[in-house]
Amino acid sequence: MSDNINTSIEPFAKKDGGLVALDVHAIRKDFPILQTKVYGKPLVYFDNAATSQKPKAVIDRIVHYYENENANIHRGIYHLSEMASEAYEGARNIVQKNINAASRGEIIFVRGATEGINLVASSWGRAHLHPGDEVLISGMEHHANIIPWQIICEEKGAVLKVIPVTADGELDLEAFQKLITEKTKFVSVVYVSNSIGTINSVKSIIEKAHAFRIPVLVDGCQAAPHIAIDVQELDCDFLVFSGHKIFAPTGIGVLYGKEKYLEAMPPYQTGGDMIQAVSFVKTTFKEIPYKFEAGTPDISGAIGLGTAMEYISGIGRTMIHDYEQKLLSYATEKIRQIEGLKIIGTAREKIPVISFTVAGAHPLDIGTLLDFEGIAIRTGNHCTQPLLAGFGVSATCRASLAFYNTIEEIDFFAESLDKVIKKIRS
Ligand code: PMP
């Protein structure tokens, strides 16, 4: 272990000069699943980039909804339906406030980041792309931000271009500058890589794209749990994220879009609740966001998402960020000592996601043996096959941490990793 790494969780300096500490042991009590054991060993959950665990506040809110408020929304004129509608729309207000959207109409509830990107690629793409146009993504994208663009480009005769990734795992912004031309009609980039943890300079990408009047979608899936997002400050035109990555349930997510774009886009799906009037001759649609929310949504999921966002705010974004950066540098230093271990993705700005390979040990074997120690990590391509191919590998081990993880867990992880690697090599 490096000498200059401070292993204690020290109080962080507050802006007013006082000191405040993130009390991780108190926070862990909020997450029932963190008290469970796996094969008789305490669970060490290091797969937060795949999905996060849920605090009791979120679980309780969902139980409360089903025990006291369950009804379909927007349609009933009775008390329960009004309560459910109020809770659902209240969650929209919380999301709006949290990401600082200009209006609540700009917040569309979707199934997750995947559905959000498909919605934009399909609806915006169908309406605006023409043969010869170009859509720019990056070499660091999750498959969810590749395939929808590939399909719409094929359909419309447009061309998909890719911003290259450097050997450190950063976006090559000089190459980006050259790729952006009069032909570019849309840019869709990931804020934070799920695979290697890089935090991209999306603000500068947005500024450069806007100089050409090109709209930009930001895939905020991995940014949302770790970074405070202000859509007006970023000036992104679209943003997507998934609830389940930010301590909320699965099946709910958010698409933020600037009003001027959403209003000009056709509906993605059609059906109940998104219409003004229907006849066999013509149908008219509701205003945003309802135009994009066809059918019965995930009501309890949206309510749970609102609670999760309030829970994060309650802890404090700065405190989470500072603590996670300590975890990142401690874990990086610790596992770097292991012989033959190579970290994939060494960008200057990262969230606590560490991808690595180990000479003479397959990721799958490492992951399987770590599981017997109660440690959950992810192995594979992390839905980023093109990115890993660029690094010359088809799979990595990935440890992804959240603010409820501890220095002690990292110590146990590093010790166990060393042990299982020796076992595999023996
Ligand atoms: N983008 C990124 C960067 C992701 O990490 C993920 C999930 N791993 C997605 C998109 C897709 O999210 P979901 O599966 O929740 O729709």
Side-chain angles (χ1 to χ4, degrees):
M1 195 201 320
S2 158
D3 289 333
N4 57 8
I5 294 291
N6 184 354
T7 64
S8 65
I9 296 306
E10 298 220 308
F12 303 113
K14 275 201 300 190
K15 283 212 176 87
D16 65 7
L19 290 175
V20 63
L22 183 142
D23 185 350
V24 69
H25 296 289
I27 283 173
R28 287 177 70 81
K29 293 197 183 116
D30 293 342
F31 292 80
I33 207 167
L34 297 181
Q35 328 311 325
T36 58
K37 297 212 157 147
V38 178
Y39 305 118
K41 306 209 167 126
L43 167 70
V44 174
Y45 188 73
F46 280 3
D47 196 18
N48 292 285
T51 201
S52 60
Q53 300 302 346
K54 319 304 170 202
K56 191 139 190 329
V58 169
I59 299 166
D60 287 350
R61 182 63 188 93
I62 294 165
V63 171
H64 179 85
Y65 167 76
Y66 280 115
E67 286 184 351
N68 300 282
E69 301 164 320
N70 178 49
N72 212 329
I73 52 166
H74 298 153
R75 295 161 214 183
I77 41 112
Y78 53 90
H79 180 65
L80 268 192
S81 177
E82 278 166 9
M83 276 209 296
S85 306
E86 215 170 278
Y88 179 79
E89 292 305 331
R92 199 190 307 278
N93 295 342
I94 295 170
V95 176
Q96 179 203 347
K97 195 167 132 234
N98 254 272
I99 63 169
N100 194 28
S103 78
R104 60 193 311 283
E106 295 179 325
I107 306 297
I108 297 157
F109 284 124
V110 287
R111 221 159 36 83
T114 302
E115 189 176 49
I117 298 168
N118 273 278
L119 191 161
V120 177
S122 173
S123 170
W124 187 92
R126 249 189 297 144
H128 296 98
L129 285 176
H130 299 99
D133 287 348
E134 292 178 358
V135 171
L136 197 47
I137 59 170
S138 89
M140 207 185 284
E141 301 309 319
H142 186 280
H143 296 162
N145 199 26
I146 300 175
I147 310 161
W149 297 110
Q150 227 162 23
I151 287 175
I152 194 70
C153 282
E154 263 176 40
E155 200 179 303
K156 303 294 285 189
V159 181
L160 191 62
K161 294 264 170 153
V162 182
I163 308 165
V165 178
T166 67
D168 292 337
E170 297 185 352
L171 291 186
D172 183 340
L173 294 180
E174 270 178 37
F176 164 69
Q177 191 76 62
K178 287 184 194 134
L179 279 166
I180 200 155
T181 69
E182 294 298 331
K183 286 188 187 161
T184 317
K185 291 295 177 301
F186 201 91
V187 175
S188 192
V189 281
V190 69
Y191 197 154
V192 173
S193 163
N194 63 305
S195 203
I196 55 172
T198 309
I199 303 174
N200 291 313
S201 330
V202 283
K203 194 166 162 57
S204 87
I205 290 175
I206 293 164
E207 273 167 17
K208 288 183 177 116
H210 282 179
F212 285 76
R213 296 173 183 274
I214 301 163
V216 181
L217 180 149
V218 172
D219 174 356
C221 221
Q222 299 293 338
H226 304 282
I227 297 172
I229 299 178
D230 180 329
V231 289
Q232 294 193 69
E233 212 258 319
L234 271 184
D235 202 21
C236 56
D237 303 288
F238 299 94
L239 171 92
V240 295
F241 62 92
S242 296
H244 71 99
K245 313 258 191 204
I246 54 162
F247 320 105
T250 49
I252 189 74
V254 169
L255 163 65
Y256 156 82
K258 277 186 188 158
E259 210 169 283
K260 65 174 179 182
Y261 288 109
L262 293 178
E263 300 225 324
M265 280 161 53
Y268 170 57
Q269 292 178 337
T270 54
D273 212 27
M274 51 79 72
I275 53 90
Q276 245 163 15
V278 180
S279 79
F280 289 119
V281 181
K282 188 172 169 55
T283 295
T284 52
F285 307 119
K286 275 188 184 158
E287 73 280 16
I288 58 165
Y290 307 109
K291 180 173 83 171
F292 293 106
E293 291 182 4
T296 302
D298 182 354
I299 303 165
S300 68
I303 296 168
L305 172 59
T307 306
M309 289 188 116
E310 284 184 328
Y311 176 83
I312 300 169
S313 305
I315 296 174
R317 285 286 191 176
T318 311
M319 196 129 81
I320 288 174
H321 173 266
D322 292 351
Y323 178 72
E324 288 185 346
Q325 286 300 310
K326 286 193 175 210
L327 292 182
L328 171 65
S329 39
Y330 185 73
T332 306
E333 280 307 314
K334 204 93 220 235
I335 67 166
R336 234 204 316 241
Q337 320 289 325
I338 296 173
E339 192 225 314
L341 185 144
K342 185 176 176 212
I343 294 177
I344 307 284
T346 49
R348 287 161 288 184
E349 302 276 336
K350 282 179 72 170
I351 55 154
V353 164
I354 309 174
S355 242
F356 57 91
T357 55
V358 180
H362 194 278
L364 203 62
D365 295 333
I366 295 175
T368 307
L369 291 178
L370 284 177
D371 180 43
F372 292 132
E373 302 296 324
I375 301 169
I377 62 154
R378 179 58 54 129
T379 61
N381 61 53
H382 321 298
C383 297
T384 55
Q385 286 186 23
L387 175 67
L388 291 201
F391 282 104
V393 293
S394 57
T396 70
C397 294
R398 182 189 69 186
S400 55
L401 280 60
F403 60 81
Y404 43 60
N405 290 126
T406 66
I407 291 289
E408 292 80 14
E409 286 181 314
I410 295 171
D411 284 338
F412 180 64
F413 165 64
E415 203 181 288
S416 307
L417 184 58
D418 197 31
K419 193 171 86 184
V420 306
I421 291 168
K422 285 187 177 130
K423 194 170 176 184
I424 294 167
R425 284 182 184 150
S426 66

